[in-house]
Every structure is written in structure tokens, then in C-alpha cells.
Amino acid sequence: MSNRPGFENLVLGAALTVSVLAHVIPLAFMHFVNPPAVSSPATDPGLEVILVNAKHDKKPVKAEALAQADLDGGGMHDAGRSKSPLPDMQRSENGDHLIAATKRIEEIEQQQKHLLDQVKKKYRFPVTGAG
């Protein structure tokens, strides 16, 4: 090698030119495309989660899902599995309102009887016969 400063600049320039050409030429002939679309469906069906709120000692007659514990009727619905863990608020059978009202009246009567018994014990009213 020579001690001339111009020679070192010439070697550096040539190295840079060769490097730029080595990178630009392949990139000029390269093109990018989207990968082909996958036409086959996925083989993994995914994980289905079913929320249940009951555990039972016996196995269901016809199991519709895999579970860790035996569930009898948990998560079941009239037409297959329930879509929500909440109860169906739209479903009402004939007489539901009448049964609920009758039950409420009976509860109120029991409460009234209990309160009257407490008052009788506290004040000891004399019991008089009818008639």
C-alpha cells in the first residue's frame, strides 16, 4: 500500500460503490405479493365455554358437552344449550303470576299471624268466647 491519502479515499469509494450495487441490483428485480388465501377451514374448532351453576352426583343421560364434573341439567335449555348464564326472563308459563301472588298472600298471612301472637303474649288479652 502506498502512503498517498488519495489512494485510501479511492479504495473507500470503490468499496461503497460495490456495496450499494450489491444491495440495489437484487432489490430492483425483487417484487412482493400477498400470500395465497387459505381455502381449507381450520382443523381446530376452538374452545367452547359453557357456564353452569350446578353440580350433581349422577351423570347426565345424554351429555351435550365435556365437563370436569358431572352436571345434571346445568347449562341446559329447552332447545339445546343456553346462550347466557342468566335465567330466561321472557319465559313464563300459564298461571305463574297467580301462583306467585298466592304464595305472597300466604307469606303475608303467616307474618300477620306471627305479629298477632307476639302482641297477645306481650299484653295477655283475655280470651272471650264467641256468641
Side-chain angles (χ1 to χ4, degrees), residues 29-59:
F29 295 106
M30 194 179 300
H31 65 283
F32 297 95
V33 294
N34 288 332
V38 178
S39 60
S40 65
T43 56
D44 182 19
L47 178 65
E48 183 177 2
V49 177
I50 300 173
L51 301 175
V52 294
N53 58 359
K55 181 178 176 183
H56 205 272
D57 293 335
K58 62 182 181 176
K59 293 183 179 182

Side-chain angles (χ1 to χ4, degrees), residues 13 16-17 32 36 41 45 53-54 66 80 83 89 97 123:
L16 284 174
T17 304
F32 297 95
N53 58 359
L66 299 174
K83 304 293 184 210
M89 300 305 284
H97 299 294
Y123 293 110

Side-chain angles (χ1 to χ4, degrees), residues 57-114:
D57 293 335
K58 62 182 181 176
K59 293 183 179 182
V61 177
K62 181 181 174 190
E64 293 184 14
L66 299 174
Q68 288 180 320
D70 294 333
L71 303 170
D72 187 28
M76 301 283 224
H77 195 262
D78 289 342
R81 294 188 200 122
S82 178
K83 304 293 184 210
S84 170
L86 302 174
D88 188 6
M89 300 305 284
Q90 298 295 327
R91 182 178 176 207
S92 72
E93 296 179 10
N94 292 338
D96 278 350
H97 299 294
L98 180 61
I99 293 170
T102 305
K103 186 177 178 182
R104 180 69 179 139
I105 289 171
E106 289 174 0
E107 290 173 359
I108 292 172
E109 287 175 352
Q110 289 293 330
Q111 186 179 16
Q112 181 182 14
K113 185 177 179 182
H114 179 70

